[in-house]
Amino acid sequence: MMEFNDNKPIYRQILDYAFNCILTGAWRAGETIPSVRELTCELGVNNRTVLKAFDELQNLRVIESRRGLGFLLAQNGIDIIRKERKREFFENTLPQIIEEMRILGISPDEVTSMLAKTDDSKI
């Protein structure tokens, strides 16, 4: 069962869960993804909440419904998710990081130096 926080609507947290499943390869392009019923049970939420998340995934063209098969991850689903996550990063996350850097007095050069020391496989 998934633990939800109060900072974000539950359907949005389910979207984040789906995005992570796609980006990590747990859900693969062209293959069926868990059904609404399966995710409802797995995550311990109302099926309408999962349906709302699936509607959003369909609107983004990440998943497609196939009669008799359920929902499949679109061939370009991972590309769509990466683009969406990058947009969220630059609009939301990065400004927060920059503000934290400003408060702590961390210079861009310090960040660049730390990134240079980081193993690329960890980024």
Side-chain angles (χ1 to χ4, degrees):
M1 188 159 334
M2 190 168 158
E3 291 201 25
F4 297 97
N5 64 55
D6 294 334
N7 299 340
K8 198 184 265 191
I10 292 175
Y11 89 93
R12 183 65 203 167
Q13 293 176 64
I14 295 169
L15 273 175
D16 290 341
Y17 171 81
F19 288 0
N20 286 335
C21 288
I22 294 165
L23 291 172
T24 61
W27 297 358
R28 298 183 190 277
E31 295 181 5
T32 57
I33 63 171
S35 69
V36 171
R37 179 177 287 149
E38 289 170 326
L39 276 183
T40 297
C41 292
E42 180 182 334
L43 302 177
V45 296
N46 185 297
N47 68 332
R48 290 183 189 159
T49 307
V50 174
L51 276 171
K52 187 171 183 176
F54 274 38
D55 284 344
E56 183 68 22
L57 289 170
Q58 281 187 289
N59 290 339
L60 291 170
R61 300 190 186 282
V62 172
I63 63 172
E64 45 197 49
S65 177
R66 294 279 171 86
R67 184 177 291 196
L69 293 176
F71 290 99
L72 283 78
L73 179 59
Q75 289 298 327
N76 63 340
I78 194 165
D79 297 329
I80 294 168
I81 297 304
R82 278 197 183 116
K83 184 178 178 180
E84 177 66 15
R85 278 281 176 93
K86 283 181 182 181
R87 183 194 62 74
E88 289 176 7
F89 177 81
F90 285 112
E91 287 181 7
N92 302 320
T93 307
L94 189 56
Q96 292 172 356
I97 291 170
I98 291 169
E99 178 62 13
E100 186 76 7
M101 288 172 58
R102 186 190 65 72
I103 291 168
L104 297 174
I106 298 171
S107 72
D109 289 339
E110 288 177 276
V111 174
T112 302
S113 175
M114 288 300 293
L115 285 172
K117 294 177 187 175
T118 304
D119 180 6
D120 284 345
S121 67
K122 294 180 180 178
I123 297 178

